[in-house]
Amino acid sequence: NVRFLYAPGILQGGTRYTLYYVDKNMTLDEFDKKYKKQAEWIGHIDDYKENLRIQKVVDEINKAQEPNHFGNNRYALMFLPGDYGDDIDVSIGFMTQVAGLGITPVDTSIGKVECLARWHGDDPNNHNACVNFWRSIENLHMKKDTTWAVSQGTDMRRVKIDGSLALHDEHGWCSGGFLADSYITGTVDSGTQQ
């Protein structure tokens, strides 16, 4: 079984964060002992449903945060070490962080984490990432090609991507972002990125 934890109300510098942890490796007793008192909600997910549940939660967060440019909500999706398969695709919006909690990026593997520039609509002539601020990804291994169309106030650090990385969304405008200490096995297409 997989354990999934939702822990609201974390305060840092007066800002409310919502943390999500996923752990495939702990026993049910170990998980409950370590986290139950900290969490408002704990779900125990059967193996065959685990990725569907995880995907549903990250999709709900992205739906809320993608257009939430000046909102008050902050989310951190923390994946405990493990291999989550290649069918979890995390799209992230404003004020969202996705991180693996292993010692190295390859300790935590998922399908991909991406940031597209479509919150103004899906018109290919308007995939403008110059307003995609305040999001980050770090310490993860992604098993698929990914798109990281961002601007200032963003970072991609300590990731391994088994595939290619596009730093734009279908050659729409983008400017800024920080990429460091990462290994991409395919090509890096900077497109319009400066």
Side-chain angles (χ1 to χ4, degrees), residues 16-18 20 61 64-65 73-77 95-97:
R16 183 183 179 99
Y17 285 82
T18 304
Y20 289 86
I61 292 169
Q65 293 302 104
N73 294 328
R74 311 287 187 266
Y75 289 88
L77 294 158
M95 281 73 116
T96 304
Q97 176 188 15

Side-chain angles (χ1 to χ4, degrees), residues 17-194:
Y17 285 82
T18 304
L19 298 169
Y20 289 86
Y21 297 91
V22 183
D23 189 348
K24 294 183 71 157
N25 301 315
M26 284 185 173
T27 67
L28 181 60
D29 290 338
E30 290 171 335
F31 187 83
D32 284 346
K33 185 176 181 181
K34 185 170 183 179
Y35 293 120
K36 196 162 194 169
K37 291 181 182 176
Q38 302 172 30
E40 177 179 287
W41 177 83
I42 291 182
H44 304 292
I45 304 158
D46 295 332
D47 286 335
Y48 73 94
K49 294 180 184 175
E50 71 180 73
N51 286 1
L52 293 175
R53 175 67 180 141
I54 295 166
Q55 189 68 56
K56 181 180 177 190
V57 170
V58 299
D59 288 348
E60 288 172 1
I61 292 169
N62 183 58
K63 184 178 178 182
Q65 293 302 104
E66 185 180 26
N68 195 25
H69 195 181
F70 297 106
N72 294 322
N73 294 328
R74 311 287 187 266
Y75 289 88
L77 294 158
M78 306 293 185
F79 286 84
L80 292 164
D83 187 342
Y84 295 88
D86 62 356
D87 56 346
I88 294 181
D89 295 336
V90 181
S91 293
I92 63 173
F94 288 103
M95 281 73 116
T96 304
Q97 176 188 15
V98 179
L101 297 178
I103 294 172
T104 68
V106 295
D107 292 340
T108 310
S109 296
I110 64 173
K112 67 180 175 181
V113 178
E114 68 180 357
C115 178
L116 301 175
R118 299 181 186 185
W119 58 281
H120 287 298
D122 196 19
D123 176 357
N125 296 317
N126 192 29
H127 289 181
N128 184 352
C130 291
V131 290
N132 277 358
F133 305 126
W134 308 309
R135 59 199 80 203
S136 70
I137 172 176
E138 59 187 296
N139 205 41
L140 279 172
H141 171 218
M142 292 175 274
K143 299 179 178 184
K144 300 189 232 179
D145 294 346
T146 193
T147 298
W148 188 246
V150 296
S151 197
Q152 295 85 12
T154 64
D155 61 83
M156 176 183 279
R157 300 181 302 173
R158 296 193 69 216
V159 300
K160 179 181 184 225
I161 300 173
D162 289 340
S164 295
L165 173 63
L167 297 174
H168 57 87
D169 186 353
E170 296 183 4
H171 296 279
W173 292 107
C174 51
S175 174
F178 180 77
L179 171 65
D181 197 17
S182 296
Y183 177 61
I184 292 87
T185 62
T187 59
V188 176
D189 180 357
S190 57
T192 60
Q193 185 62 260
Q194 296 179 15

